[in-house]
Amino acid sequence: MSSTETVTPIQNAVNIGPVLTQRLRDVGVTTLDEVRDRGAIEVWQLIADTAEGNECAHMLLALEGALRGQRWTSIPRSERDALLVEVGLKDASELRAPKKR
């Protein structure tokens, strides 16, 4: 890293509140660059592996949004759904468009 580059502490990244900050620190992740290097899915899996019930969809989407520098709700629904299907939090059959009435 050059002297002009800055390291973003994880708690300063978009979408990362105090609870997720602590969970990230618990698995040794303290900067946004570490999330970028590993990817949202790998970091999410590290957290999920620490205790049952930590495999929250919102946490994964928050990490992905942090990498993109945007609120997770701004990620297009199709991309969010694809990410959740990839990790098994959503079944692909749920992605079909709802029937029009």
Side-chain angles (χ1 to χ4, degrees):
M1 181 179 308
S2 74
S3 60
T4 59
E5 292 180 76
T6 59
V7 174
T8 302
I10 198 62
Q11 69 272 14
N12 294 348
V14 66
N15 300 315
I16 309 297
V19 171
L20 186 49
T21 294
Q22 188 57 54
R23 287 184 178 169
L24 288 162
R25 286 181 179 157
D26 289 346
V27 296
V29 176
T30 59
T31 69
L32 185 58
D33 287 332
E34 291 174 273
V35 178
R36 191 172 285 110
D37 289 344
R38 291 179 161 195
I41 291 175
E42 183 179 326
V43 172
W44 170 82
Q45 190 63 59
L46 282 171
I47 295 168
D49 289 347
T50 62
E52 190 170 323
N54 278 345
E55 60 279 348
C56 168
H58 290 113
M59 184 181 359
L60 175 59
L61 296 174
L63 289 166
E64 181 64 26
L67 291 177
R68 297 177 184 213
Q70 67 186 78
R71 298 290 301 159
W72 70 265
T73 54
S74 298
I75 299 171
R77 166 118 11 228
S78 61
E79 293 176 32
R80 285 186 273 164
D81 287 344
L83 190 60
L84 297 176
V85 166
E86 185 175 343
V87 299
L89 290 177
K90 194 168 200 172
D91 189 288
S93 64
E94 296 176 42
L95 303 183
R96 287 187 233 131
K99 295 179 182 178
K100 294 183 180 179
R101 294 180 184 206

